[in-house]
Amino acid sequence: MTCSRPPLRFLVAILGTLSCSLVYTQRSAMSVAIVAMTTSTDANTKPEFDWSEKLQGVILGSQFYLYIIGPTIAGNFTDRVGAKWVNFLGAIVPCILSLLTPIGVRKGGVGVLIAIRTIDGLFHSTVYASLFSLYIRWFSDPGERAIANGATFFGGCLGSTVMYSLAGWACSTEIGWPLVYYINAALYLPWMILWVLVVSNDPAENRFITEEELAVIKVSEKKRGVLVSSLVLLFGRFSDLLLLFTQIKRPTPWKAIFTSRPVLSSLVLKTASGFGYFLLMTKMPSYLSSVLGIKLFSNGLFSGGISLAQGLCALFAAPLSNLIIRRLHCPTLRVRKAFQCVAMLGPAVCFAAIPSLDGGGSNTLVLVLLLGAMFSYGFFTGGEWSTGSEFAPNSAGVVFGVSNMLAFAMGVVAPLLVGVLLDVDGAQVRTQWAAIFYGTAVFYVLGLLPFLVFGTVTQQEWDKRLVVEVVNEEEVENGGKLEEEMKKRGDSYEEL
């Protein structure tokens, strides 16, 4: 009796997920390490780096300075050298920079640290784009591809969870915060070895794949040029359409997109939610340390728990929303808006309640509220996140990019704004954090309102016209080729 081995494409998906985890280990490492770098272990010693809160915000946000251009660069290089090597490059450079960070910041100061993090962000931003391209070749089945793409999101949460926990412990050792970066670099090594040995740009080029699995995959270049109006699961829609958009020659209705109420409502919503998300991911270890007085080891464990809670909720919210729509026959738009209300109002309520509790020794309740805020935010995957491929299936890639323009900018704005507020002369740290939480709660509520009014799942007219225009262009192109061919034969095209 022979035992068949798991399909190789599943291992490729696991390695792809872990590459996304590594992106977030690097981010999370800095969020915890910077607390140890700027605080002293006892009253008789000074912190190693005397950085203001504002400067700390600049450092934490620097990873997003070049993040927006990375996917475009990745797309160009993927066509030349292949997605495998673009993804590998997005790992090996940050790995080397992680090793160099302790000596770099100690010898070169804060400028070197900001430069390192900026370069990190540039190379990390190529990871997701390269994986989406790779999965098009390895997963011909839309259902499998959707699961693989969805796992990349969970991989980020998993990476944050692991590194928050390890970083809290590392900062408590004799080596201190530099150990955080050495551990982070070490996590890359086994992944890079497996990635080089196992993964190939095309399944047909892989030496480990079986003929049976290759037959199942049925790699077809033609499928990559076909218009896709819908895909079966949430996470597969945007990634596939984003890649397809770059490969299909068709006019982009920029004016209609930038003046579309559904698109603009998504942009406002993602900007508001992005601020709250990056606030927690970058500044939460600092809040737990400076306000709640939680030691770094416990700080890291709890920060990891927050990330894990959000990742698990996001992983299950999407199929849950689709299940409600299919089984209970609830209107799609009503379900989308209900899930998004939970994702926005849940954190808003939790944030608004925290200031009244964090001054009365109620650390446990505060921690529960922070955990609840991130868990409820995970419901966004069953809400607005999926509407772009519903109201603009032929432009989902562009719509997704436009609606996320300012969301990624919040990775820079959130830590910087918090730093500015905490640096106000004479201000109490607890008071300033209360203002931050109240302001974020209001931001969440205001960001939700346009979506409740203008959010839709009905395909927009400007998106419908794209199919007609593409078909007409193909008819003209095919007609031109036919006419040229007939002229060579001496026939008349007009006679047909």
Side-chain angles (χ1 to χ4, degrees), residues 27 57-58 60-69 267 270-279 282 400-418 443:
R27 295 181 189 175
V58 173
L60 291 171
S62 59
Q63 191 157 23
F64 297 94
Y65 290 167
L66 298 178
Y67 200 88
I68 194 171
I69 68 173
L267 185 147
K270 284 189 171 76
T271 301
S273 60
F275 180 86
Y277 173 78
F278 287 115
L279 168 68
T282 58
F400 182 71
V402 170
S403 62
N404 273 282
M405 285 190 306
L406 297 181
F408 284 118
M410 294 299 104
V412 177
V413 173
L416 179 59
L417 181 59
V418 171
F443 206 25

Side-chain angles (χ1 to χ4, degrees), residues 281-342:
M281 289 296 98
T282 58
K283 297 298 293 184
M284 196 45 48
S286 176
Y287 170 77
L288 297 176
S289 175
S290 62
V291 178
L292 301 186
I294 297 177
K295 300 299 183 181
L296 278 176
F297 179 71
S298 299
N299 189 326
L301 289 176
F302 180 74
S303 297
I306 289 180
S307 181
L308 181 62
Q310 189 245 347
L312 289 174
C313 182
L315 191 65
F316 292 108
L320 177 61
S321 67
N322 292 332
L323 183 66
I324 293 174
I325 293 170
R326 291 195 305 268
R327 296 291 179 85
L328 301 182
H329 305 290
C330 292
T332 302
L333 182 59
R334 187 174 299 175
V335 173
R336 299 293 183 226
K337 290 186 176 181
F339 270 66
Q340 195 60 46
C341 282
V342 176

Side-chain angles (χ1 to χ4, degrees), residues 69-228:
I69 68 173
T72 302
I73 296 175
N76 292 332
F77 276 92
T78 295
D79 293 337
R80 298 180 182 180
V81 300
K84 170 185 176 178
W85 297 111
V86 172
N87 192 289
F88 181 78
L89 193 64
I92 190 172
V93 174
C95 175
I96 295 172
L97 291 177
S98 185
L99 281 172
L100 296 177
T101 296
I103 189 173
V105 66
R106 282 173 168 167
K107 297 293 184 180
V110 68
V112 172
L113 179 60
I114 292 175
I116 287 175
R117 285 185 57 78
T118 302
I119 298 172
D120 270 342
L122 175 63
F123 280 90
H124 276 156
S125 66
T126 66
V127 170
Y128 285 88
S130 63
L131 285 179
F132 294 154
S133 176
L134 187 73
Y135 288 170
I136 286 291
R137 293 181 177 273
W138 275 89
F139 297 94
S140 58
D141 177 69
E144 289 186 351
R145 187 164 60 247
I147 294 173
N149 287 331
T152 63
F153 179 85
F154 180 73
C157 296
L158 179 64
S160 294
T161 300
V162 171
M163 181 47 69
Y164 276 136
S165 304
L166 290 176
W169 166 79
C171 289
S172 303
T173 64
E174 292 186 4
I175 299 177
W177 64 265
L179 183 59
V180 175
Y181 293 98
Y182 300 144
I183 292 175
N184 182 62
L187 292 175
Y188 279 92
L189 297 179
W191 177 88
M192 288 191 293
I193 294 172
L194 288 173
W195 184 261
V196 171
L197 293 177
V198 174
V199 179
S200 61
N201 290 318
D202 196 304
E205 302 170 355
N206 197 290
R207 56 179 174 172
F208 299 112
I209 197 168
T210 63
E211 292 294 332
E212 293 78 6
E213 184 176 3
L214 196 58
V216 171
I217 294 175
K218 297 179 181 179
V219 179
S220 174
E221 292 294 328
K222 295 181 180 179
K223 290 182 180 180
R224 301 169 60 199
V226 177
L227 284 174
V228 178

Side-chain angles (χ1 to χ4, degrees), residues 378-425:
F379 276 83
F380 79 94
T381 58
E384 182 276 337
W385 187 261
S386 64
T387 59
S389 61
E390 292 168 334
F391 72 74
N394 299 314
S395 310
V398 180
V399 169
F400 182 71
V402 170
S403 62
N404 273 282
M405 285 190 306
L406 297 181
F408 284 118
M410 294 299 104
V412 177
V413 173
L416 179 59
L417 181 59
V418 171
V420 171
L421 291 175
L422 294 179
D423 270 346
V424 174
D425 293 335

